[in-house]
Amino acid sequence: MKIELIPAIDLINGQCVRLTKGDYSQKKIYNDNPAEVAKEFEKLGFKRLHVVDLDGAKSKHIVNDAVLKAITDATDLVVDFGGGIKTEEDIEKAFQAGAAMVTVGSIAVTKPELFLEWLDKYGADRLILGADVRNGKISINGWKEDSAEDLLPFLKQYVDKGVKNVLCTEISKDGTLQGPAIDLYKQIMAEYPQLHLIASGGVSCNQDIEELEAAGIPAVVFGKAFYEGKINIESLKK
């Protein structure tokens, strides 16, 4: 497949979990050892991994950097890391723990000047803009708050400043296994065909991934569908 396949590990208390629609009360634990899960992904042939520090997103600072380090020590996966990145110290912690890229979302909404400073300092290849969407508005702080920012104008201000990588999660789809927001991603790609857009949320089966690929979406994150045995990895490799 041409589409970049990115499995996800979400962390709470150092465990590999999944939430439904970002609801911390709807938590399912899949594994106590995220580094072992990452090793399995590597064995299956994946090159990239998306790691989310859900404790960090809630606490507004990185919490699970030791788990990130365990993952990057145990594998050669290219890891992008998000959740709780609010300061330069958080970014440095993530990079020191082996992350190749960091995803920054809330700060891009609340402190755009600071985000642009980071973009300038670390470069567009190491910084992913997180655009988590609920009812057309960007959501922040672990999806606890909705901002007044509309998605496309929000993206425009940063694409114009050189952002290349965008991770877009449709929150109403996340963890539901009800299919991704393909029309939303098509809309983004129609506006900004140069973006490396990573679609996230709702993937339920191989067909969803095939449809994203057919729509010209460059990359996809999936988690629950894999953990629930709904994705056939071998046929994705063809």
Side-chain angles (χ1 to χ4, degrees):
M1 300 191 89
K2 283 184 192 163
I3 192 168
E4 186 177 19
L5 303 168
I6 310 174
I9 292 178
D10 290 0
L11 301 171
I12 291 180
N13 298 329
Q15 297 172 310
C16 175
V17 307
R18 295 302 287 175
L19 307 181
T20 299
K21 298 184 184 179
D23 184 349
Y24 284 74
S25 69
Q26 295 189 59
K27 177 181 79 174
K28 184 167 182 180
I29 298 167
Y30 286 99
N31 198 296
D32 287 334
N33 191 333
E36 286 302 316
V37 177
K39 277 158 71 171
E40 283 303 312
F41 283 135
E42 190 170 43
K43 273 186 203 162
L44 287 167
F46 294 106
K47 306 291 185 212
R48 176 95 178 258
L49 180 65
H50 176 61
V51 177
V52 182
D53 185 350
L54 291 171
D55 293 314
K58 213 173 187 180
S59 307
K60 301 187 181 181
H61 60 84
I62 283 185
V63 174
N64 285 292
D65 49 312
V67 183
L68 170 62
K69 186 159 192 335
I71 288 170
T72 58
D73 283 350
T75 71
D76 291 321
L77 292 165
V78 175
V79 178
D80 71 81
F81 182 85
I85 293 179
K86 308 292 186 200
T87 64
E88 202 160 305
E89 184 188 2
D90 290 321
I91 293 181
E92 293 294 340
K93 258 190 191 175
F95 286 149
Q96 283 162 17
M101 291 167 270
V102 293
T103 301
V104 179
S106 300
I107 289 295
V109 174
T110 59
K111 297 180 181 174
E113 301 84 3
L114 182 58
F115 179 83
L116 289 172
E117 275 178 37
W118 292 349
L119 185 64
D120 189 49
K121 178 169 182 177
Y122 296 103
D125 291 327
R126 301 197 79 191
L127 213 60
I128 299 169
L129 176 62
D132 302 327
V133 187
R134 180 163 44 210
N135 300 322
K137 303 285 187 187
I138 299 291
S139 186
I140 59 172
N141 294 328
W143 302 350
K144 296 278 175 274
E145 303 165 45
D146 291 336
S147 75
E149 297 270 1
D150 289 311
L151 174 62
L152 290 175
F154 171 75
L155 292 179
K156 184 179 191 316
Q157 64 180 317
Y158 290 119
V159 171
D160 288 349
K161 299 286 187 185
V163 160
K164 292 195 268 188
N165 298 289
V166 170
L167 173 75
C168 184
T169 303
E170 168 50 79
I171 295 168
S172 70
K173 298 277 192 180
D174 195 65
T176 64
L177 300 175
Q178 290 175 358
I182 291 179
D183 289 343
L184 177 73
Y185 304 129
K186 278 183 179 173
Q187 196 181 359
I188 295 170
M189 291 307 296
E191 289 282 332
Y192 311 112
Q194 72 274 38
L195 273 185
H196 188 75
L197 177 65
I198 306 161
S200 168
V203 169
S204 67
C205 59
N206 286 41
Q207 188 182 342
D208 287 338
I209 295 172
E210 287 158 9
E211 285 178 10
L212 285 166
E213 182 178 54
I217 312 306
V220 59
V221 164
F222 52 87
K224 194 178 224 175
F226 175 84
Y227 297 117
E228 299 276 346
K230 295 178 184 300
I231 285 178
N232 181 321
I233 300 301
E234 286 311 311
S235 64
L236 281 184
K237 290 178 185 173
K238 290 170 185 169

